[in-house]
PDB file of all heavy atoms in Angstrom:
ATOM      1  N   GLN K 127      -8.102   4.713  -7.449  1.00  0.00           N
ATOM      2  CA  GLN K 127      -7.901   3.427  -8.213  1.00  0.00           C
ATOM      3  C   GLN K 127      -7.212   3.874  -9.446  1.00  0.00           C
ATOM      4  O   GLN K 127      -7.711   4.462 -10.421  1.00  0.00           O
ATOM      5  CB  GLN K 127      -9.234   2.715  -8.545  1.00  0.00           C
ATOM      6  CG  GLN K 127      -9.020   1.448  -9.397  1.00  0.00           C
ATOM      7  CD  GLN K 127     -10.493   0.989  -9.801  1.00  0.00           C
ATOM      8  OE1 GLN K 127     -11.472   1.474  -9.285  1.00  0.00           O
ATOM      9  NE2 GLN K 127     -10.487   0.184 -10.810  1.00  0.00           N
ATOM     10  N   GLY K 128      -5.815   3.639  -9.500  1.00  0.00           N
ATOM     11  CA  GLY K 128      -4.972   4.028 -10.613  1.00  0.00           C
ATOM     12  C   GLY K 128      -4.735   2.872 -11.634  1.00  0.00           C
ATOM     13  O   GLY K 128      -3.781   2.345 -11.695  1.00  0.00           O
ATOM     14  N   PHE K 129      -5.758   2.694 -12.379  1.00  0.00           N
ATOM     15  CA  PHE K 129      -5.731   1.539 -13.426  1.00  0.00           C
ATOM     16  C   PHE K 129      -5.519   2.149 -14.869  1.00  0.00           C
ATOM     17  O   PHE K 129      -4.500   1.931 -15.437  1.00  0.00           O
ATOM     18  CB  PHE K 129      -6.979   0.573 -13.455  1.00  0.00           C
ATOM     19  CG  PHE K 129      -6.989  -0.296 -12.310  1.00  0.00           C
ATOM     20  CD1 PHE K 129      -6.246  -0.135 -11.096  1.00  0.00           C
ATOM     21  CD2 PHE K 129      -7.813  -1.391 -12.329  1.00  0.00           C
ATOM     22  CE1 PHE K 129      -6.365  -1.081 -10.072  1.00  0.00           C
ATOM     23  CE2 PHE K 129      -7.939  -2.371 -11.384  1.00  0.00           C
ATOM     24  CZ  PHE K 129      -7.162  -2.147 -10.235  1.00  0.00           C
ATOM     25  N   SER K 130      -6.494   3.037 -15.219  1.00  0.00           N
ATOM     26  CA  SER K 130      -6.554   3.362 -16.692  1.00  0.00           C
ATOM     27  C   SER K 130      -5.433   4.411 -16.986  1.00  0.00           C
ATOM     28  O   SER K 130      -5.035   5.217 -16.097  1.00  0.00           O
ATOM     29  CB  SER K 130      -7.955   4.161 -16.922  1.00  0.00           C
ATOM     30  OG  SER K 130      -8.966   3.253 -16.660  1.00  0.00           O
ATOM     31  N   GLU K 131      -5.051   4.337 -18.285  1.00  0.00           N
ATOM     32  CA  GLU K 131      -4.055   5.275 -18.750  1.00  0.00           C
ATOM     33  C   GLU K 131      -4.455   5.909 -20.082  1.00  0.00           C
ATOM     34  O   GLU K 131      -5.478   5.328 -20.645  1.00  0.00           O
ATOM     35  CB  GLU K 131      -2.758   4.492 -19.028  1.00  0.00           C
ATOM     36  CG  GLU K 131      -2.198   3.919 -17.771  1.00  0.00           C
ATOM     37  CD  GLU K 131      -0.819   3.126 -17.844  1.00  0.00           C
ATOM     38  OE1 GLU K 131      -0.354   3.013 -19.046  1.00  0.00           O
ATOM     39  OE2 GLU K 131      -0.373   2.523 -16.845  1.00  0.00           O
ATOM     40  N   THR K 134      -4.856   3.146 -22.389  1.00  0.00           N
ATOM     41  CA  THR K 134      -5.150   1.939 -21.841  1.00  0.00           C
ATOM     42  C   THR K 134      -6.354   1.942 -20.974  1.00  0.00           C
ATOM     43  O   THR K 134      -6.258   2.404 -19.821  1.00  0.00           O
ATOM     44  CB  THR K 134      -3.940   1.422 -20.997  1.00  0.00           C
ATOM     45  OG1 THR K 134      -2.807   1.486 -21.811  1.00  0.00           O
ATOM     46  CG2 THR K 134      -4.062   0.013 -20.585  1.00  0.00           C
ATOM     47  N   GLY K 135      -7.371   1.595 -21.351  1.00  0.00           N
ATOM     48  CA  GLY K 135      -8.675   1.464 -20.539  1.00  0.00           C
ATOM     49  C   GLY K 135      -9.255   0.126 -20.677  1.00  0.00           C
ATOM     50  O   GLY K 135      -8.949  -0.718 -19.776  1.00  0.00           O
ATOM     51  N   SER K 136      -9.904  -0.162 -21.783  1.00  0.00           N
ATOM     52  CA  SER K 136     -10.389  -1.481 -21.977  1.00  0.00           C
ATOM     53  C   SER K 136      -9.375  -2.582 -22.080  1.00  0.00           C
ATOM     54  O   SER K 136      -9.370  -3.650 -21.471  1.00  0.00           O
ATOM     55  CB  SER K 136     -11.266  -1.561 -23.213  1.00  0.00           C
ATOM     56  OG  SER K 136     -12.226  -0.603 -23.232  1.00  0.00           O
ATOM     57  N   ASN K 137      -8.247  -2.267 -22.814  1.00  0.00           N
ATOM     58  CA  ASN K 137      -7.167  -3.229 -22.928  1.00  0.00           C
ATOM     59  C   ASN K 137      -6.102  -2.904 -21.725  1.00  0.00           C
ATOM     60  O   ASN K 137      -4.937  -2.599 -21.980  1.00  0.00           O
ATOM     61  CB  ASN K 137      -6.462  -2.991 -24.291  1.00  0.00           C
ATOM     62  CG  ASN K 137      -5.912  -1.527 -24.507  1.00  0.00           C
ATOM     63  OD1 ASN K 137      -6.375  -0.710 -23.873  1.00  0.00           O
ATOM     64  ND2 ASN K 137      -5.024  -1.358 -25.495  1.00  0.00           N
ATOM     65  N   VAL K 159      -4.967   8.154 -15.820  1.00  0.00           N
ATOM     66  CA  VAL K 159      -6.063   9.070 -16.204  1.00  0.00           C
ATOM     67  C   VAL K 159      -7.421   8.512 -15.754  1.00  0.00           C
ATOM     68  O   VAL K 159      -7.451   7.320 -15.512  1.00  0.00           O
ATOM     69  CB  VAL K 159      -6.054   9.297 -17.759  1.00  0.00           C
ATOM     70  CG1 VAL K 159      -6.587   8.256 -18.490  1.00  0.00           C
ATOM     71  CG2 VAL K 159      -6.713  10.618 -18.113  1.00  0.00           C
ATOM     72  N   TRP K 160      -8.381   9.440 -15.613  1.00  0.00           N
ATOM     73  CA  TRP K 160      -9.762   9.186 -15.210  1.00  0.00           C
ATOM     74  C   TRP K 160      -9.703   8.642 -13.770  1.00  0.00           C
ATOM     75  O   TRP K 160     -10.498   7.792 -13.371  1.00  0.00           O
ATOM     76  CB  TRP K 160     -10.460   8.172 -16.004  1.00  0.00           C
ATOM     77  CG  TRP K 160     -10.289   8.339 -17.508  1.00  0.00           C
ATOM     78  CD1 TRP K 160     -10.002   7.336 -18.349  1.00  0.00           C
ATOM     79  CD2 TRP K 160     -10.535   9.480 -18.339  1.00  0.00           C
ATOM     80  NE1 TRP K 160      -9.911   7.711 -19.646  1.00  0.00           N
ATOM     81  CE2 TRP K 160     -10.274   9.123 -19.619  1.00  0.00           C
ATOM     82  CE3 TRP K 160     -11.057  10.793 -18.038  1.00  0.00           C
ATOM     83  CZ2 TRP K 160     -10.395   9.983 -20.726  1.00  0.00           C
ATOM     84  CZ3 TRP K 160     -11.093  11.576 -19.148  1.00  0.00           C
ATOM     85  CH2 TRP K 160     -10.789  11.279 -20.380  1.00  0.00           C
ATOM     86  N   THR K 161      -8.691   8.987 -13.004  1.00  0.00           N
ATOM     87  CA  THR K 161      -8.530   8.552 -11.684  1.00  0.00           C
ATOM     88  C   THR K 161      -9.594   9.165 -10.684  1.00  0.00           C
ATOM     89  O   THR K 161      -9.271  10.406 -10.347  1.00  0.00           O
ATOM     90  CB  THR K 161      -7.145   8.700 -11.127  1.00  0.00           C
ATOM     91  OG1 THR K 161      -6.233   8.439 -12.159  1.00  0.00           O
ATOM     92  CG2 THR K 161      -6.816   7.735  -9.907  1.00  0.00           C
ATOM     93  N   SER K 162     -10.670   8.512 -10.375  1.00  0.00           N
ATOM     94  CA  SER K 162     -11.670   9.221  -9.562  1.00  0.00           C
ATOM     95  C   SER K 162     -11.137   9.702  -8.195  1.00  0.00           C
ATOM     96  O   SER K 162     -10.438   8.946  -7.583  1.00  0.00           O
ATOM     97  CB  SER K 162     -12.867   8.373  -9.325  1.00  0.00           C
ATOM     98  OG  SER K 162     -13.498   7.891 -10.674  1.00  0.00           O
ATOM     99  N   GLU K 211     -14.376  15.420 -11.052  1.00  0.00           N
ATOM    100  CA  GLU K 211     -14.553  14.288 -10.269  1.00  0.00           C
ATOM    101  C   GLU K 211     -13.440  13.295 -10.617  1.00  0.00           C
ATOM    102  O   GLU K 211     -13.112  12.347  -9.737  1.00  0.00           O
ATOM    103  CB  GLU K 211     -15.809  13.523 -10.757  1.00  0.00           C
ATOM    104  CG  GLU K 211     -16.306  12.518  -9.840  1.00  0.00           C
ATOM    105  CD  GLU K 211     -17.607  11.847 -10.209  1.00  0.00           C
ATOM    106  OE1 GLU K 211     -18.578  12.605 -10.043  1.00  0.00           O
ATOM    107  OE2 GLU K 211     -17.678  10.734 -10.631  1.00  0.00           O
ATOM    108  N   PHE K 212     -12.735  13.303 -11.706  1.00  0.00           N
ATOM    109  CA  PHE K 212     -11.569  12.458 -11.901  1.00  0.00           C
ATOM    110  C   PHE K 212     -10.424  13.185 -12.334  1.00  0.00           C
ATOM    111  O   PHE K 212     -10.478  14.474 -12.590  1.00  0.00           O
ATOM    112  CB  PHE K 212     -11.786  11.237 -12.784  1.00  0.00           C
ATOM    113  CG  PHE K 212     -12.674  11.530 -14.062  1.00  0.00           C
ATOM    114  CD1 PHE K 212     -12.559  12.672 -14.716  1.00  0.00           C
ATOM    115  CD2 PHE K 212     -13.459  10.552 -14.522  1.00  0.00           C
ATOM    116  CE1 PHE K 212     -13.300  12.897 -15.860  1.00  0.00           C
ATOM    117  CE2 PHE K 212     -14.198  10.732 -15.729  1.00  0.00           C
ATOM    118  CZ  PHE K 212     -14.032  11.875 -16.367  1.00  0.00           C
ATOM    119  N   TYR K 352     -24.357  12.630 -16.179  1.00  0.00           N
ATOM    120  CA  TYR K 352     -23.550  11.622 -15.517  1.00  0.00           C
ATOM    121  C   TYR K 352     -23.936  10.195 -15.895  1.00  0.00           C
ATOM    122  O   TYR K 352     -23.164   9.310 -16.043  1.00  0.00           O
ATOM    123  CB  TYR K 352     -23.419  11.755 -14.071  1.00  0.00           C
ATOM    124  CG  TYR K 352     -22.483  10.974 -13.423  1.00  0.00           C
ATOM    125  CD1 TYR K 352     -21.092  11.197 -13.475  1.00  0.00           C
ATOM    126  CD2 TYR K 352     -22.756   9.684 -12.754  1.00  0.00           C
ATOM    127  CE1 TYR K 352     -20.090  10.365 -12.913  1.00  0.00           C
ATOM    128  CE2 TYR K 352     -21.774   8.850 -12.201  1.00  0.00           C
ATOM    129  CZ  TYR K 352     -20.497   9.166 -12.354  1.00  0.00           C
ATOM    130  OH  TYR K 352     -19.538   8.304 -11.787  1.00  0.00           O
ATOM    131  N   ALA K 355     -22.131   8.109 -18.381  1.00  0.00           N
ATOM    132  CA  ALA K 355     -20.872   7.396 -18.077  1.00  0.00           C
ATOM    133  C   ALA K 355     -21.086   6.023 -17.564  1.00  0.00           C
ATOM    134  O   ALA K 355     -20.141   5.248 -17.443  1.00  0.00           O
ATOM    135  CB  ALA K 355     -20.207   8.251 -16.996  1.00  0.00           C
ATOM    136  N   ILE K 358     -19.490   3.355 -19.348  1.00  0.00           N
ATOM    137  CA  ILE K 358     -18.104   3.494 -19.535  1.00  0.00           C
ATOM    138  C   ILE K 358     -17.384   3.055 -18.311  1.00  0.00           C
ATOM    139  O   ILE K 358     -16.426   2.153 -18.261  1.00  0.00           O
ATOM    140  CB  ILE K 358     -17.684   4.852 -19.869  1.00  0.00           C
ATOM    141  CG1 ILE K 358     -18.513   5.333 -21.136  1.00  0.00           C
ATOM    142  CG2 ILE K 358     -16.194   5.045 -20.170  1.00  0.00           C
ATOM    143  CD1 ILE K 358     -18.305   6.841 -21.346  1.00  0.00           C
ATOM    144  N   TYR K 359     -17.691   3.814 -17.138  1.00  0.00           N
ATOM    145  CA  TYR K 359     -16.851   3.533 -15.919  1.00  0.00           C
ATOM    146  C   TYR K 359     -16.984   1.882 -15.488  1.00  0.00           C
ATOM    147  O   TYR K 359     -18.060   1.314 -15.830  1.00  0.00           O
ATOM    148  CB  TYR K 359     -17.188   4.315 -14.722  1.00  0.00           C
ATOM    149  CG  TYR K 359     -18.658   4.305 -14.231  1.00  0.00           C
ATOM    150  CD1 TYR K 359     -19.148   3.222 -13.495  1.00  0.00           C
ATOM    151  CD2 TYR K 359     -19.541   5.311 -14.462  1.00  0.00           C
ATOM    152  CE1 TYR K 359     -20.403   3.105 -13.083  1.00  0.00           C
ATOM    153  CE2 TYR K 359     -20.804   5.269 -13.961  1.00  0.00           C
ATOM    154  CZ  TYR K 359     -21.189   4.143 -13.341  1.00  0.00           C
ATOM    155  OH  TYR K 359     -22.560   4.064 -12.751  1.00  0.00           O
ATOM    156  N   GLY K 360     -15.928   1.518 -14.795  1.00  0.00           N
ATOM    157  CA  GLY K 360     -15.925   0.108 -14.347  1.00  0.00           C
ATOM    158  C   GLY K 360     -15.925  -0.842 -15.554  1.00  0.00           C
ATOM    159  O   GLY K 360     -16.260  -2.025 -15.282  1.00  0.00           O
ATOM    160  N   GLY K 361     -15.512  -0.549 -16.640  1.00  0.00           N
ATOM    161  CA  GLY K 361     -15.500  -1.372 -17.953  1.00  0.00           C
ATOM    162  C   GLY K 361     -16.695  -1.049 -18.763  1.00  0.00           C
ATOM    163  O   GLY K 361     -17.845  -1.127 -18.320  1.00  0.00           O
ATOM    164  N   SER K 362     -16.500  -0.893 -19.933  1.00  0.00           N
ATOM    165  CA  SER K 362     -17.576  -0.274 -20.869  1.00  0.00           C
ATOM    166  C   SER K 362     -18.550  -1.382 -21.226  1.00  0.00           C
ATOM    167  O   SER K 362     -18.320  -2.592 -20.894  1.00  0.00           O
ATOM    168  CB  SER K 362     -16.869   0.187 -22.233  1.00  0.00           C
ATOM    169  OG  SER K 362     -16.579  -0.869 -23.000  1.00  0.00           O
ATOM    170  N   ALA K 363     -19.642  -0.968 -21.729  1.00  0.00           N
ATOM    171  CA  ALA K 363     -20.813  -1.836 -21.958  1.00  0.00           C
ATOM    172  C   ALA K 363     -20.293  -2.973 -22.873  1.00  0.00           C
ATOM    173  O   ALA K 363     -20.687  -4.114 -22.865  1.00  0.00           O
ATOM    174  CB  ALA K 363     -22.032  -1.250 -22.574  1.00  0.00           C
ATOM    175  N   GLU K 364     -19.612  -2.491 -23.956  1.00  0.00           N
ATOM    176  CA  GLU K 364     -19.158  -3.479 -24.938  1.00  0.00           C
ATOM    177  C   GLU K 364     -18.204  -4.535 -24.346  1.00  0.00           C
ATOM    178  O   GLU K 364     -18.157  -5.680 -24.671  1.00  0.00           O
ATOM    179  CB  GLU K 364     -18.374  -2.668 -26.116  1.00  0.00           C
ATOM    180  CG  GLU K 364     -19.270  -1.848 -26.939  1.00  0.00           C
ATOM    181  CD  GLU K 364     -19.566  -0.549 -26.436  1.00  0.00           C
ATOM    182  OE1 GLU K 364     -19.043  -0.153 -25.264  1.00  0.00           O
ATOM    183  OE2 GLU K 364     -20.425   0.290 -26.939  1.00  0.00           O
ATOM    184  N   ILE K 365     -17.305  -4.127 -23.507  1.00  0.00           N
ATOM    185  CA  ILE K 365     -16.387  -4.978 -22.866  1.00  0.00           C
ATOM    186  C   ILE K 365     -17.105  -5.927 -21.929  1.00  0.00           C
ATOM    187  O   ILE K 365     -16.751  -7.104 -21.837  1.00  0.00           O
ATOM    188  CB  ILE K 365     -15.151  -4.136 -22.116  1.00  0.00           C
ATOM    189  CG1 ILE K 365     -14.355  -3.282 -23.004  1.00  0.00           C
ATOM    190  CG2 ILE K 365     -14.415  -5.081 -21.163  1.00  0.00           C
ATOM    191  CD1 ILE K 365     -13.667  -4.233 -24.099  1.00  0.00           C
ATOM    192  N   ASN K 368     -18.548  -8.502 -24.074  1.00  0.00           N
ATOM    193  CA  ASN K 368     -17.362  -9.523 -24.446  1.00  0.00           C
ATOM    194  C   ASN K 368     -17.116 -10.515 -23.383  1.00  0.00           C
ATOM    195  O   ASN K 368     -17.043 -11.620 -23.789  1.00  0.00           O
ATOM    196  CB  ASN K 368     -16.175  -8.689 -24.821  1.00  0.00           C
ATOM    197  CG  ASN K 368     -16.272  -7.963 -26.205  1.00  0.00           C
ATOM    198  OD1 ASN K 368     -17.123  -8.166 -26.901  1.00  0.00           O
ATOM    199  ND2 ASN K 368     -15.246  -7.109 -26.374  1.00  0.00           N
ATOM    200  N   ASP K 380     -11.637 -13.077 -30.203  1.00  0.00           N
ATOM    201  CA  ASP K 380     -11.806 -12.184 -31.284  1.00  0.00           C
ATOM    202  C   ASP K 380     -11.896 -12.893 -32.775  1.00  0.00           C
ATOM    203  O   ASP K 380     -11.224 -13.742 -32.912  1.00  0.00           O
ATOM    204  CB  ASP K 380     -10.638 -11.097 -31.312  1.00  0.00           C
ATOM    205  CG  ASP K 380     -10.797 -10.166 -30.167  1.00  0.00           C
ATOM    206  OD1 ASP K 380     -11.909  -9.755 -29.769  1.00  0.00           O
ATOM    207  OD2 ASP K 380      -9.688  -9.853 -29.606  1.00  0.00           O
TER     208      ASP K 380
HETATM  209  C1  FAD R 401     -16.968   8.453 -14.391  1.00  0.00           C
HETATM  210  C2  FAD R 401     -15.773   7.607 -14.626  1.00  0.00           C
HETATM  211  C3  FAD R 401     -14.933   7.266 -13.554  1.00  0.00           C
HETATM  212  C4  FAD R 401     -13.751   6.451 -13.889  1.00  0.00           C
HETATM  213  N1  FAD R 401     -12.971   6.221 -12.726  1.00  0.00           N
HETATM  214  C5  FAD R 401     -11.786   5.528 -12.916  1.00  0.00           C
HETATM  215  C6  FAD R 401     -10.907   5.310 -11.842  1.00  0.00           C
HETATM  216  O1  FAD R 401     -11.203   5.732 -10.772  1.00  0.00           O
HETATM  217  N2  FAD R 401      -9.883   4.580 -12.070  1.00  0.00           N
HETATM  218  C7  FAD R 401      -9.501   4.155 -13.251  1.00  0.00           C
HETATM  219  O2  FAD R 401      -8.507   3.473 -13.547  1.00  0.00           O
HETATM  220  N3  FAD R 401     -10.280   4.376 -14.487  1.00  0.00           N
HETATM  221  C8  FAD R 401     -11.465   4.985 -14.127  1.00  0.00           C
HETATM  222  N4  FAD R 401     -12.173   5.341 -15.313  1.00  0.00           N
HETATM  223  C9  FAD R 401     -11.816   4.787 -16.683  1.00  0.00           C
HETATM  224  C10 FAD R 401     -12.656   3.681 -17.145  1.00  0.00           C
HETATM  225  O3  FAD R 401     -12.388   2.509 -16.540  1.00  0.00           O
HETATM  226  C11 FAD R 401     -12.324   3.634 -18.699  1.00  0.00           C
HETATM  227  O4  FAD R 401     -12.934   4.725 -19.233  1.00  0.00           O
HETATM  228  C12 FAD R 401     -13.051   2.366 -19.459  1.00  0.00           C
HETATM  229  O5  FAD R 401     -12.519   1.212 -18.888  1.00  0.00           O
HETATM  230  C13 FAD R 401     -12.926   2.494 -20.908  1.00  0.00           C
HETATM  231  O6  FAD R 401     -11.628   2.648 -21.198  1.00  0.00           O
HETATM  232  P1  FAD R 401     -11.157   3.950 -22.236  1.00  0.00           P
HETATM  233  O7  FAD R 401     -11.752   5.096 -21.698  1.00  0.00           O
HETATM  234  O8  FAD R 401      -9.665   3.948 -22.400  1.00  0.00           O
HETATM  235  O9  FAD R 401     -11.892   3.600 -23.653  1.00  0.00           O
HETATM  236  P2  FAD R 401     -11.407   2.624 -24.738  1.00  0.00           P
HETATM  237  O10 FAD R 401     -10.982   1.386 -24.130  1.00  0.00           O
HETATM  238  O11 FAD R 401     -10.512   3.324 -25.602  1.00  0.00           O
HETATM  239  O12 FAD R 401     -12.766   2.278 -25.463  1.00  0.00           O
HETATM  240  C14 FAD R 401     -13.290   3.228 -26.406  1.00  0.00           C
HETATM  241  C15 FAD R 401     -14.624   2.462 -27.083  1.00  0.00           C
HETATM  242  O13 FAD R 401     -14.243   1.378 -27.752  1.00  0.00           O
HETATM  243  C16 FAD R 401     -14.891   0.182 -27.139  1.00  0.00           C
HETATM  244  N5  FAD R 401     -13.957  -0.989 -27.266  1.00  0.00           N
HETATM  245  C17 FAD R 401     -12.764  -0.971 -26.724  1.00  0.00           C
HETATM  246  N6  FAD R 401     -12.229  -2.146 -26.927  1.00  0.00           N
HETATM  247  C18 FAD R 401     -13.274  -2.984 -27.396  1.00  0.00           C
HETATM  248  C19 FAD R 401     -13.278  -4.366 -27.807  1.00  0.00           C
HETATM  249  N7  FAD R 401     -12.263  -5.174 -27.622  1.00  0.00           N
HETATM  250  N8  FAD R 401     -14.499  -4.797 -28.114  1.00  0.00           N
HETATM  251  C20 FAD R 401     -15.563  -3.961 -28.370  1.00  0.00           C
HETATM  252  N9  FAD R 401     -15.516  -2.654 -28.111  1.00  0.00           N
HETATM  253  C21 FAD R 401     -14.393  -2.163 -27.643  1.00  0.00           C
HETATM  254  C22 FAD R 401     -15.403   0.572 -25.751  1.00  0.00           C
HETATM  255  O14 FAD R 401     -16.475  -0.149 -25.366  1.00  0.00           O
HETATM  256  C23 FAD R 401     -15.604   2.052 -25.881  1.00  0.00           C
HETATM  257  O15 FAD R 401     -16.894   2.230 -26.396  1.00  0.00           O
HETATM  258  C24 FAD R 401     -13.388   5.975 -15.059  1.00  0.00           C
HETATM  259  C25 FAD R 401     -14.302   6.272 -16.149  1.00  0.00           C
HETATM  260  C26 FAD R 401     -15.353   7.073 -16.044  1.00  0.00           C
HETATM  261  C27 FAD R 401     -16.360   7.417 -17.094  1.00  0.00           C
END
Side-chain angles (χ1 to χ4, degrees):
Q127 177 188 348
F129 284 20
S130 304
E131 298 180 2
T134 309
S136 305
N137 58 341
V159 72
W160 318 128
T161 317
S162 296
E211 191 174 296
F212 45 32
Y352 188 77
I358 305 173
Y359 62 69
S362 73
E364 292 79 7
I365 294 302
N368 281 351
D380 289 322

